Amino acid sequence: MEVRNIAIIAHVDHGKTTLTDALLRQTGVAKEGVSMDSNALELERGITIYSKNASIPYKGTKINIVDTPGHADFGSEVERVLRSIDSVLLVVDAQEGPMPQTRFVLKKSLELGIKPIVVINKIDKPAADPARTEEQVLELFLELGASNEQSNFPVVYTIGKQGIAKLKLADDSTDLTPLLETVLAHVPPASSADALNKPARLQPFNLGYDNFLGRLAVARVYEGVLKTGDAVFVKKPNGETRQGKITKMYTFRGLQKVEIGTKDSGLPDEAPQSGAEAGDIVLIAGLPDIYIGETITTDQNAEPLPAIAIDEPTITLTFLVNNSPFAGREGKYVTSRQIRERLERELEVNVGLKIDFEHEQDGYKVSGRGELHIAILLEQMRREGYELQVSQPQVIFREGNGGELSEPYEETVVDVPAIYQGSIIERLGQRKFVMKDLRVHENQVRIIFEGPTRGLLGYRSQFVLDTKGEGILSSRVIGFRPYAGEIKKRQVGSMISMMSGKALGYSLWNLQERGILYINPATEVYAGMVIGNTSKGEEMTVNPTKNKNLTNVRASASDEAINLVPPFLLTIERGLEVMAEDEYLEITPESVRLRKQKLTEIERSKAKRS
Ligand SMILES: Nc1nc2c(ncn2[C@@H]2O[C@H](COP(=O)(O)OP(=O)(O)OP(=O)(O)O)[C@@H](O)[C@H]2O)c(=O)[nH]1
Ligand SMILES: [Mg+2]
């Protein structure tokens, strides 16, 4: 059967998954309400975390679709996916226009010689401006050095949410047929008779894991036919070769994985496949040490396929056994060995992650592509019953041959109402961010900055405050550049409990004037736990368990009515953001607590003096 391979790429939230789901529905392979975002965390957050494969049948052709995550922390995954497909649907929100991640994924696609199909989505939004968006997309193509052929892209206008696509805005359409037709017309066939007759060559671009089968590789078949049971050679890009055997293979039909060589597709018109054929994207088991970018082949003398680069981590932090006074109360897996085994399993599939297990007594050094990348792992672990504590994330520096330091830099795009423009430029300027571009559109401004990742750590919650929640900030790593120099951040001081017990409304009411609280009344606290931050920036030790002095009680009813400001409850991400260097974030299945590493004031002042 003829195959076409596409990836859906875009900035976060521009509608990739919604559109993919609609394509699955229209072609009859998924029912109403079924989504590619299937992981519990994805559903809760409404974002895609893992790229996923599906396929749809259309007019006798199998269209493999890879839905990719839009958040910049997962950009490296998108880059790998792009190596395995032949074209992309570049989805752009008709109101927001191209955003940093649009630029990144487009740049990578163009460099690979891909000819994108542009999908202007969400044209139903009241403030949508498809014509302006299209113009900006064309500008972006030209700016990124697109060839004539590439910048002569087909455009499809869509309302992904309603499953509607049009070739002209004025067209009447009730489904996605125009988009499917565009795919057939513009995406080259994934294989040819010539490729089919060669010895098998495949390349994994993603990893998976199954409790029974072990490590799985998601691979594109470039040439030949691979059969279950085949003896294969696995070649590293440098030619180093080892042997293996394929134990099981799956192909994608709709959202299902169907074992190759069996007859259980549920789609009666498709013959059971006898092997993984050139052009297809398949899941392979049997190679326990298979890795991204290697070449699987049946021919010992075959050339390895070009390597697939994996982005280096940019931030690092330590995972430790929880040793707070509340340790072990809520977690099921709490020991160093259990945490280690979990992290080792994570390394099987989490390609951008690096872990140093060497100095076990000091915890495990975990490095990743950004705060969200790490936060998702921690969130996943707590859901599985793990309990642990982590240190403050730090940027990873690199040292050149001459000892010169470099650090990760990001491109940051800020969309804010024009009145906040001045304060944002000033605030980011202090954090060594340089303005690269400023565009005004009605009352909104879009400002593009470049600066060190270090300057952004801990900035997001400040940004929300500075823009009264009306701003959007998105950012992505653009590479390592020379050290930007010292950054003086406004000191945030912690409000630390000196007592253990239950926090009382009366004391919180007194404390809320002095800063922002992280806890509710009746929250259990311990001495050394951080219960809030102070507005003046100084560190403050307080007693949140103090009750009203009983001898002073007056019998007035109004006295009892305490007006408490809703607290800033800590999530893992907020915690990673607000924590100080001498603190730990304690994470259990039920709680996220911030604490001082040294729990008593005496220990803390001793540590400060030395
Ligand atoms: N108004 C409108 N909203 C849409 C449309 N398509 C998607 N949305 C909404 O946009 C939001 C994001 O949609 P998703 O499909 O999850 O976006 P995504 O690009 O997959 O997001 P990530 O995978 O996290 O990068 C959801 O709330 C959708 O309901 C559309 O055509 N019109
Ligand atoms: Mg998505």
Side-chain angles (χ1 to χ4, degrees), residues 13 15-18 37 46-49 67-70:
D13 257 5
K16 297 172 288 296
T17 305
T18 309
D37 282 347
I47 61 163
T48 303
I49 298 169
D67 182 29
T68 62

Side-chain angles (χ1 to χ4, degrees), residues 62 324 353 504 515 561 594 597:
K62 176 181 185 180
S324 94
L353 204 70
L504 293 175
L594 197 54
Q597 291 180 5

Side-chain angles (χ1 to χ4, degrees), residues 214-257:
R215 186 180 289 192
L216 304 169
V218 189
R220 159 88 186 250
V221 192
Y222 284 92
E223 288 163 353
V225 181
L226 190 69
K227 296 205 160 80
T228 305
D230 273 356
V232 293
F233 301 91
V234 179
K235 294 181 172 239
K236 287 193 192 302
N238 67 9
E240 209 181 297
T241 304
R242 59 192 192 277
Q243 291 184 331
K245 193 176 162 189
I246 308 297
T247 55
K248 254 190 189 14
M249 288 194 292
Y250 299 85
T251 182
F252 297 92
R253 289 210 187 132
L255 279 162
Q256 319 290 6
K257 296 178 191 73

Side-chain angles (χ1 to χ4, degrees), residues 8 11-21 35-37 42 46-50 52 67-71:
I8 305 211
H11 186 74
V12 70
D13 257 5
H14 281 195
K16 297 172 288 296
T17 305
T18 309
L19 191 64
T20 312
D21 292 346
S35 177
M36 293 286 278
D37 282 347
E42 292 183 321
I47 61 163
T48 303
I49 298 169
Y50 311 101
K52 282 178 227 68
D67 182 29
T68 62
H71 195 283

Side-chain angles (χ1 to χ4, degrees), residues 256-418:
Q256 319 290 6
K257 296 178 191 73
V258 182
E259 194 178 335
I260 291 177
T262 60
K263 200 175 186 168
D264 63 350
S265 71
L267 299 170
D269 53 329
E270 284 182 67
Q273 286 168 293
S274 59
E277 292 184 2
D280 209 358
I281 292 173
V282 295
L283 204 59
I284 289 179
L287 305 170
D289 52 1
I290 187 71
Y291 203 65
I292 309 279
E294 293 183 324
T295 300
I296 302 168
T297 175
T298 47
D299 173 10
Q300 182 160 21
N301 299 315
E303 278 293 308
L305 293 153
I308 297 181
I310 289 160
D311 282 340
E312 288 294 313
T314 55
I315 65 163
T316 186
L317 76 177
T318 307
F319 283 32
L320 304 114
V321 170
N322 188 14
N323 67 353
S324 94
F326 291 175
R329 281 194 187 181
E330 293 161 348
K332 206 157 99 191
Y333 309 112
V334 300
T335 66
S336 173
R337 206 190 47 150
Q338 287 166 330
I339 295 171
R340 181 188 179 120
E341 281 171 3
R342 176 62 183 81
L343 290 176
E344 280 170 346
R345 240 186 309 134
E346 187 68 22
L347 283 178
E348 287 283 337
V349 290
N350 201 330
V351 178
L353 204 70
K354 288 212 167 144
I355 305 176
D356 181 355
F357 290 109
E358 213 159 286
H359 310 282
E360 192 146 12
Q361 64 286 2
D362 305 327
Y364 306 117
K365 246 184 113 168
V366 177
S367 306
R369 283 294 290 177
E371 278 172 310
L372 185 67
H373 186 200
I374 301 291
I376 295 281
L377 168 60
L378 288 166
E379 185 67 47
Q380 202 80 49
M381 286 177 71
R382 80 188 281 217
R383 276 165 188 255
E384 295 165 17
Y386 287 84
E387 167 173 334
L388 71 164
Q389 60 187 5
V390 300
S391 67
Q392 187 192 40
Q394 302 283 344
V395 155
I396 295 174
F397 289 97
R398 283 189 193 162
E399 207 178 312
N401 291 335
E404 68 283 5
L405 275 189
S406 62
E407 62 177 322
Y409 265 64
E410 304 202 14
E411 179 193 64
T412 301
V413 175
V414 167
D415 280 299
V416 290

